[in-house]
Amino acid sequence: MRFKYAYLMLWGCLMGLTMTSHGQRITSSPIDSNTIKSSLFKRIPYKQLIVPVGLMTYGVIALESHFLIDQNQDIRTELRENIDRKFSVDDFSQYVGTASIFALDALGIKAKHTLKQRLFTAAVSNVIMTATVMSIKNTGTVWRPDSSANNSFPSGHTATAFVGAELLWQEYKDRSIWYGVAGYAVATGTGFFRMYNNKHWLSDVAMGAGIGILSTKIAYWLLPLLDQKKQENKTSYVFIPSYNGRQFTIGGTISF
């Protein structure tokens, strides 16, 4: 039951953050106010929640569903029967997606957003993902398949990988969907190797994937706030020269 309460609490926090991002009052300059308002006040794109919420729901249900618990065990047994040795590529592949949104742009394949915007979305999505994953891990007692620790649920490696996959999709889907497809393929492979290496159950991987995707979507929903802050911090100068017959002076105002 603790897992259900933890899930509902964290899901409520995520949705609250989303609702807050769409309820901010804008006070920036008239030039960009319409653009910012249209981004922030649009309705929550519920269709974008289907996949991550579905994955997270599966992960939570699998904690107490005897059928899904048996599925976890069957998959583990099948993998163990065909494993010769561990293949720890997942320790590195989890970062491929996030690194790609910077590497591709540096190679001349321009991303959708500026470097500052990409740094913002990458940072925010990883902060949300890490806080969520660690909070759930600290409330649970799900043992890893290899019995090495009782913090199996959810998979942090998988969550990190799917953050990167969604970042890559958001930045390059308009250029070619294959960038995003490649990112999700790598992320899915990361989740598979977490099970292959006997570190996670299928339910751990599903929950991690859902958290990773949702965290990144929230980061992009919050992105207009970065532009708003930039507008609010913009400094303007007005200088007025004058001459009174004896002295030449300059008066001015600074707005920031």
Side-chain angles (χ1 to χ4, degrees):
M1 293 296 292
R2 286 191 301 166
F3 286 116
K4 285 186 176 180
Y5 294 135
Y7 171 71
L8 291 174
M9 177 185 69
L10 290 162
W11 174 240
C13 290
L14 290 174
M15 289 306 297
L17 180 59
T18 303
M19 293 296 293
T20 300
S21 73
H22 288 275
Q24 295 291 328
R25 184 70 62 180
I26 306 303
T27 58
S28 59
S29 63
I31 296 176
D32 293 323
S33 62
N34 291 333
T35 301
I36 296 174
K37 287 180 180 179
S38 65
S39 297
L40 290 175
F41 290 105
K42 66 182 180 181
R43 294 178 62 85
I44 298 173
Y46 292 105
K47 290 183 179 179
Q48 294 185 23
L49 299 176
I50 294 175
V51 172
V53 172
L55 289 167
M56 294 168 70
T57 301
Y58 175 92
V60 172
I61 293 175
L63 293 173
E64 297 186 11
S65 168
H66 295 296
F67 173 76
L68 295 181
I69 291 173
D70 289 341
Q71 293 300 307
N72 280 342
Q73 293 286 354
D74 290 344
I75 292 172
R76 175 182 181 271
T77 300
E78 185 68 25
L79 288 172
R80 298 307 299 168
E81 289 177 351
N82 296 281
I83 289 178
D84 295 324
R85 61 186 179 85
K86 289 186 177 181
F87 189 55
S88 57
V89 66
D90 44 303
D91 288 335
F92 307 99
S93 62
Q94 61 177 317
Y95 303 114
V96 168
T98 301
S100 295
I101 68 171
F102 301 105
L104 289 172
D105 189 78
L107 292 173
I109 306 174
K110 295 301 180 182
K112 181 177 181 179
H113 295 95
T114 65
L115 176 60
K116 184 176 181 180
Q117 290 172 324
R118 279 177 282 137
L119 288 171
F120 174 86
T121 53
V124 171
S125 57
N126 276 283
V127 166
I128 295 173
M129 177 274 295
T130 301
T132 304
V133 168
M134 296 309 298
S135 296
I136 299 177
K137 280 181 177 291
N138 290 334
T139 64
T141 56
V142 177
W143 285 91
R144 293 180 183 269
D146 64 357
S147 300
S148 61
N150 65 343
N151 62 350
S152 187
F153 183 83
S155 170
H157 280 64
T158 306
T160 301
F162 275 87
V163 162
E166 182 64 19
L167 285 169
L168 193 58
W169 170 257
Q170 293 289 342
E171 292 300 327
Y172 286 98
K173 63 183 179 181
D174 295 334
R175 179 175 288 272
S176 173
I177 64 170
W178 293 108
Y179 291 104
V181 170
Y184 270 96
V186 171
T188 302
T190 301
F192 170 79
F193 278 107
R194 295 308 287 165
M195 295 186 293
Y196 179 91
N197 291 324
N198 206 29
K199 287 297 184 181
H200 283 289
W201 309 100
L202 176 61
S203 53
D204 303 338
V205 170
M207 186 69 174
I211 291 172
I213 296 170
L214 183 58
S215 298
T216 309
K217 288 187 180 298
I218 291 175
Y220 276 94
W221 295 339
L222 292 174
L223 184 57
L225 297 180
L226 179 67
D227 297 328
Q228 174 193 353
K229 188 68 176 178
K230 182 178 179 181
Q231 288 294 326
E232 290 175 345
N233 291 337
K234 185 176 290 186
T235 303
S236 61
Y237 308 86
V238 177
F239 296 101
I240 305 173
S242 63
Y243 181 69
N244 61 8
R246 292 182 300 173
Q247 296 177 321
F248 181 80
T249 60
I250 297 178
T253 61
I254 301 177
S255 301
F256 54 89

